[in-house]
Amino acid sequence: MEQSAFLRACRRQPVPHTPVWFMRMAGRSLPEYLRVREGVPMLEACARPDMIVEITMQPVRRYAVDAAIFFSDIVVPLKAIGVDLDIKPGVGPVIADPIRDKASLERIRRLTPDDVPFTTEAIQGLVGELCDTPLIGFAGAPFTLGSYLIEGGPSKNHDHTKAMMYGEPELWAELMDRLADMTIDYLKVQIEAGVSAIQVFDSWVGTVGPQDYRESVLPYTRKIFDAVASYGVPRIHFGVGTGELLGLMGEAGADVVGVDWRVPLDEAVSRVEPGKALQGNLDPAVLFAPWEVVERRARDVLARGRTAEGHVFNLGHGVLPPTDPDVLARLADLVHEASAADNA
């Protein structure tokens, strides 16, 4: 496992080829996923070890990826500690009773392994099936989880979230701290069950500016990465629309900074402090273009990625549902072949 190209790239060590995996590769772009999930609500699927194992393995069977990612959702730990929520198709996570005051903070408690036995069981099963392929665990970052809790669901402008962050800083700090603790607990469950790396998703943090990130977000993300540092597994940090935050995201303590498609990787190198690998960052929509366009864009990402101390090829966000799986399979092969030739 330690010779895995993925783990070596995360640790900025020499690799025989650029490793590749795709965010949301286990999901709606795969017909076998749609068959397995038919009639099964998302949160139920995320709590069934047999289904987690099967869905996690599906893209590994199809694509020559260098890592698998655990099938779950960032709101699973919230559901596990008793938050009344659901994932509504076409909408996303919806919170029955949003958190807007100090009394409602009591709903956010520490998470224990007994809250998520299905996570431990599924990861242990996957480690056995994956053999030498690393498994990536993940969790949501406090800002993004907090946004869902405060807004009551997905939000375009994050009005209530920012109102609390600006206007009630003590309430905000306590919520972020509680969510950081819960996230630490959940990541530790995954690491102790056997994942080889972890990724923290801060999907909505691109809505804040650098100063607000440094004052109101960074301390809690740093707390998470510091808390799992002793395990020695690579730590990846990814957000969307975070071009102006890349340096700060690196400061939070991740070993690998994920870059969305908006910032070229060679530019990202100049924004992130030394000592970090980068992950990314082909625009997911490029996969709908003719193959010659996909190939040209992918080779450009690889060329720019060579300026980083370590590079894990990925999309700049998740695989879009209409994506042709055959294109992803061809892309994974191209990444390996082109980067191996460059390293020869």
Side-chain angles (χ1 to χ4, degrees):
M1 183 73 75
E2 291 306 309
Q3 295 307 308
S4 151
F6 167 74
L7 294 178
R8 291 183 64 84
C10 289
R11 293 174 173 141
R12 297 171 290 116
Q13 298 169 344
V15 291
H17 60 262
T18 300
V20 55
W21 69 280
F22 306 114
M23 289 181 283
R24 283 200 205 131
M25 62 185 178
R28 292 172 293 174
S29 64
L30 297 180
E32 56 266 42
Y33 169 83
L34 297 175
R35 286 195 296 270
V36 169
R37 274 287 319 281
E38 187 174 3
V40 181
M42 179 64 176
L43 286 172
E44 180 182 336
C46 293
R48 288 176 49 178
D50 60 333
M51 192 167 285
I52 295 169
V53 171
E54 169 59 23
I55 294 173
T56 301
M57 292 300 300
Q58 287 175 350
V60 178
R61 299 182 191 122
R62 270 190 179 261
Y63 313 134
V65 286
D66 295 275
I69 185 162
F70 183 67
F71 172 73
S72 189
D73 189 274
I74 63 171
V75 300
V76 163
L78 291 175
K79 181 73 171 180
I81 64 171
V83 175
D84 187 357
L85 64 86
D86 193 15
I87 298 177
K88 295 191 176 180
V91 178
V94 176
I95 311 297
D97 187 12
I99 288 179
R100 303 277 173 81
D101 55 38
K102 188 171 179 61
S104 58
L105 285 181
E106 296 306 315
R107 283 182 262 154
I108 309 303
R109 62 167 174 84
R110 299 298 296 251
L111 178 142
T112 73
D114 291 339
D115 292 318
V116 287
F118 48 86
T119 296
T120 299
E121 182 180 340
I123 289 173
Q124 290 173 342
L126 281 164
V127 170
E129 286 206 34
L130 287 165
C131 298
D132 293 336
T133 300
L135 176 64
I136 304 168
F138 72 90
F143 180 89
T144 293
L145 294 177
S147 175
Y148 284 127
L149 289 169
I150 297 166
E151 301 291 339
S155 172
K156 182 177 180 181
N157 298 313
H158 304 273
D159 305 4
H160 294 292
T161 305
K162 290 187 175 183
M164 183 187 294
M165 184 175 70
Y166 295 140
E168 299 180 85
E170 291 182 0
L171 182 62
W172 172 263
E174 186 172 349
L175 175 59
M176 292 296 100
D177 205 46
R178 285 173 177 257
L179 290 171
D181 285 339
M182 184 200 70
T183 299
I184 290 165
D185 295 335
Y186 189 50
L187 289 173
K188 285 183 174 180
V189 167
Q190 295 178 62
I191 296 169
E192 290 172 5
V195 300
S196 299
I198 56 100
Q199 176 159 309
V200 174
F201 286 89
D202 213 347
S203 307
W204 302 123
V205 79
T207 62
V208 304
Q211 181 177 343
D212 291 325
Y213 183 95
R214 182 177 292 282
E215 294 175 358
S216 302
V217 179
L218 177 59
Y220 311 101
T221 312
R222 179 181 283 139
K223 179 180 180 179
I224 293 168
F225 286 127
D226 285 349
V228 298
S230 62
Y231 288 97
V233 302
R235 299 158 297 169
I236 310 168
H237 193 16
F238 175 75
V240 183
T242 53
E244 297 303 317
L245 305 177
L246 289 174
L248 290 166
M249 290 172 70
E251 287 182 31
D255 304 292
V256 184
V257 177
V259 184
D260 78 5
W261 70 93
R262 297 172 177 86
V263 179
L265 287 180
D266 51 348
E267 172 62 24
V269 168
S270 69
R271 300 186 186 189
V272 177
E273 64 185 4
K276 308 289 180 182
L278 297 183
Q279 179 174 278
N281 71 338
L282 185 70
D283 186 339
V286 167
L287 300 178
F288 302 131
W291 174 252
E292 56 269 24
V293 177
V294 177
E295 179 175 3
R296 184 176 72 249
R297 292 294 190 99
R299 288 181 181 275
D300 182 65
V301 169
L302 285 170
R304 295 176 188 274
R306 285 197 293 274
T307 65
E309 295 180 45
H311 177 215
V312 176
F313 189 99
N314 208 314
L315 303 180
H317 198 196
V319 174
L320 298 170
T323 304
D324 183 349
D326 292 339
V327 175
L328 277 174
R330 197 172 177 184
L331 175 59
D333 291 341
L334 170 68
V335 170
H336 284 163
E337 293 163 8
S339 59
D342 290 335
N343 290 343

